[in-house]
Amino acid sequence: MPPPPPPPPPPSGGNRRPQWNPPPPPPPPLPSSGRSNQPAGRGFAPPPPPPPNNNNNNNYVKTNNIQHHQQQQPQRSTQSQHPSAQSSSSSYPSSSTTTFAAPPPQPSGTTFLPPKPVPPNSSGSGSNSFQAPPPPLPQASRMQPLPHPASSSSSSIRPPPPPVVSYGASMMPPPPPLNPTNYTVNNRSMMAPPPPQPTPTTRMMSTTNGYPPPPITAATAAAVVVANNNNNGLPIRPPAPSSNPYPDMTMMMGNGYYPTTTPTTPAPNAVAQTYPTQPKGGNNNNSTDSSSSSSLPQIPVPTRPHHDNDNGNNGNGGRQQQLQEPYYPKATLLGQSDPVQPPPAADSRFIVIDDGNASPLFIRSTINAIPKDRGTLQKVVLDSSSNDKMEILCTPLALPSGIVPTFQTQPLPEEFRISHVAVDGSTDKKKPPRCEYCFAYANSFWGDGNMCNFCTRRNRMNNYNVPSPLASMLGTVEYPVNGPFVTRTPIPVQPITLYAIDATAPSCKQYVEILMEQVFPKLQDHAEQQQQQHVRSKPSVRVGIVFCVASGIYIPTPPTYKNDDEQDVGYIVMPDIQHDPFSPLPIQDWTFDITTEFGHLKVLCTKLVEDLIPKLIKERVRVHDTIGNNNSKDQQQQPIYQLSCGGAAMAFLVDALKETGGRAVWISWRRPNCGLGMLRDRERSRDIKPAHKPIKDNPFYNSLTQKCQEYKIAMDIVIHTNPAVPKAFIDVATLGQVCAGSNGSLIRINSPNWRECFAQELIKRVTCFAGWDCIFKVRCSSGLRVNRFLNDIGKSVGSNTITSSSPDLELAVTQSDTCIGVELEHRVGGIPKEDSFVYVQTALLYTNAWTGERRMRVSTLGLRTCNRAESCFPSIDFGALAAIELRRVADYVVRPEQDLTSTRDMVIDRCLSILTAYKRTVLNEQMIHHRSQLVMPEKLRLLPSFVLALVKSPLLRDSSDRRSQLPNPWADERSYLIQQASRASPATAFLMVHPLLFCIPNDDEALPMKTFRSSDDTLLSKLRHSPYVQLPDAKSPSITNLKDDQIYLMDTCFALYVLIEKGVSQERIQALDPENGALGRVIRQLRNFSQVIPEAANPRPTFPPVIVVNAQKESDTYNSLMKWMVADATLSGTDLMEFYSYLHREVQSQL
């Protein structure tokens, strides 16, 4: 064999020669700090010792393989390269790449030592022969040059895109015109030149310009440079093809301690983000900041603009001061090329202008580049349970509707393209425009000759098959309908709300006062606004209140007047709480019109507080011995204070609303433990376990759920508990099934400052935009079909028609924050090869309770298709993927045959499947040989943090606690989180398990409200200049990030905790004000989250209360909150750095 060629000459501008220094010894292991890094259950143990290796040649790549790889490498023409790539032969593709070095194994394991390097002048091919360089240093793995796919001589012809709507001159100006050269250029011609090929005896390792890596210096060991291209975001105009063939490759994990990088040549207009690294001493509990957490991807905050989504930046350093640029869905769809980028992140500030494609506010897909066949999709996730499925998340009523004046159709008002949905009143109400073959509704993607984009058939040219002007220019439109679309007769659902209050609750008086002083006035103002908008039909908005005790259900009657003197308020008692409670009076006789009878309602509430409620409270202490309960004889001697007839109260509300429909609210503080629907204490009993799973075979609650679905009643259950007293079992799991079946809300209030939270939750339910008596339908274009719905709300009904196989979802109510998960799959044969786009259409048939009008809201989403699995990873929407994962966990953990351990293993296995599929599919053979690196897609850089936080969250962690005999979390707490996870939205899915931690500055003038001066009075200009609070950088949730003299704010999605450390001065504690100052501004911004459009629903699932915790005075509460420090090692899992190392070992074992 001829001797290998000598090494290439050094690059111009550098005199450095290859240094053959032996690698330094591996750094010492991390100190234990009293924490256990070896949890029970799933093995995060160090890797087993490797087999003995006496032959150093085994550590190098075989010569034949390299030579074969060199022979297959095609010759590239320097004339077809991008101009930026011709400046230097070392200009590699500009990839958002971060190299992470994993911590070494535990001291009990075996350290993998690198092979001994061969000196340059040792025996070999002579003094001039190029010997094998040393392996990468153990404490610093370097960035690898990105692989380049082999160019092919055959070029595929892209099918023509859908027709673009021609905007009139008088209409709103369209987005910037598409430049054909921006997306028709072949990506392969934009690549940078390949790196120099290694010699046959050179081990595959990271090099710079073909040379061995330089020694580790302070500069390379002090920072991790992430080069991101500004075009990776979502600009106004469609982006040009990136010069990087794999822009989603971002994170690499080495087998050393801490991240390091090799300087790279960034692409033009690239922005470098620097992350400091951890010193070699490891985690130090006395340090002021955790360097290990700062070396990981920074946690994004909700106030960042969507331009920084790919960078994961918070936007500090002036970037947050950028104006909110609008996002055009259709223009981006038609202008994008491979790789396809996802829409703006759901937890960022963004503005969408409807230009013909559905806004991400309405529909989000987990993958925005749809594989054309099932085999390609299976390469994305190597999980046999869901490897051939795709998911979308639909929020059909994310924006309210508005009627477009018929005389002002063009130009279309700006509000109907940004903050409202246009109602098209020009169509026939009995026959809205739709395809006569597949019944898909007309949309902006219809082709020439009236061709349907779903079934590719041409429709006859008539008034019922031609898209209306609004449907041709908008992605979401509404149609007023009647006739066959009316499903409820003789009257539609009425806006009636009934409240049933447990009179045994200690805060019963406060409930009535909050309703009278805060909830009812807000409802009155909202009803008057709706009546002004809908002059023709003024709805009768009615409310009613009843009280429930063990002796019966008390129904207050309206006060009567005689000679202008008001009399005492009377009431009627329904004593039957055992068999069949019913409403003895018509609903109009004991409810009040909020707009015309508000004065009578005020008098009633005053009399209730002064007369009826004290009488009911006095009866609490009376021993109740008249209830015949065959299940328990001891319960007959219990006082009324300990009895709650919640089941009978909910049955009474359903019977009262069966003719009109509406909303029923049950307010209590304990579970129903007497009468109809009595529930046992399953948490403290030994025969019924586990308590976080609902009772599926309860006949009463199953029948109650079916009646709610039939009568179109939304059942809301409010559970108010006192955190200062021991918790009693409420059985949230079983009660939540009634709320889910009727699409009502399960509200759990457990905070000292509960009044504001209680009022805001009730106000939100009665004033939000909602549709009643709903039927939800999803249609897909050729090659796809709907498999099932990924939620437990409503009632899924299979389709019986021949033309469609997708099921229908019947809902009593659909609110502005209702998020529906849909699972899609490929049909036999997959998507036609000639189709470059695939389409998904959602249709929601609902009744507007304020007008009684029946409407059909249609949203059409267009997505690109792809033929390669590697094209799917850059298009992944992480927010949607996290929400789908939470829904799967919520469905999996309540199954009778599953437990918490198997659910945690399922979550980790899915994460490993994605990372393994990425490394096996996207990276070529050269990259796989680098065993010291964990590579993950750019869009999934937060996936390991999300998975580890999910495993440690109260949703999945074990309830046993060695320090206390009380369970943590309680069964009701876990059941509540399961209910919320089953409805998770893309905006808050990550926040549900991974908290946000902020340090509050001492200066009250810090963190001011950012305001901008609007250039004009248009709606778009006002939204782009909308003020917000520039949040500080989010710290990694670790104890090492908590200083003893600082105040922190921790957002756990359901509560805002103000953590006052022990070293904070008393003057600062006394001056602390959660309503004003820097802390007050941050709290207000977090409650608004990323909301930009006021008409849109708040992304948060609940109104978070503010809870102040002093570490010195409330040590028990403070220590319990430390379980949210998910980056640290706990009994539920390892720390984050060790989890990265575990993922790396598992991925390597599967390759």
Side-chain angles (χ1 to χ4, degrees), residues 69 146-149 919 921-929:
H69 179 71
L146 298 178
H148 300 274
K919 193 166 186 179
T921 305
V922 178
L923 307 182
N924 59 5
E925 182 181 359
Q926 177 183 358
M927 206 66 182
I928 291 180
H929 279 291

Side-chain angles (χ1 to χ4, degrees), residues 89-107:
S89 61
S90 62
S91 178
Y92 300 127
S94 59
S95 170
S96 300
T97 306
T98 306
T99 304
F100 282 97
Q106 297 297 327

Side-chain angles (χ1 to χ4, degrees), residues 269-323:
N269 302 327
V271 179
Q273 180 76 18
T274 303
Y275 299 107
T277 59
Q278 181 181 3
K280 292 184 179 181
N283 291 337
N284 187 3
N285 295 334
N286 298 327
S287 61
T288 59
D289 194 4
S290 174
S291 301
S292 61
S293 60
S294 62
S295 63
L296 297 173
Q298 196 169 14
I299 306 301
V301 296
T303 55
R304 73 189 189 281
H306 70 81
H307 313 90
D308 293 338
N309 289 340
D310 293 339
N311 302 339
N313 303 331
N314 295 349
N316 291 339
R319 294 181 63 86
Q320 270 196 359
Q321 300 182 7
Q322 295 179 356
L323 300 180

Side-chain angles (χ1 to χ4, degrees), residues 1000 1047 1058 1060 1067-1074 1076 1079 1108:
I1000 303 301
I1047 297 177
V1058 180
I1060 303 177
E1067 293 78 7
R1068 186 179 179 186
I1069 295 178
Q1070 295 177 359
L1072 188 65
D1073 187 6
N1076 302 310
L1079 178 60
V1108 181

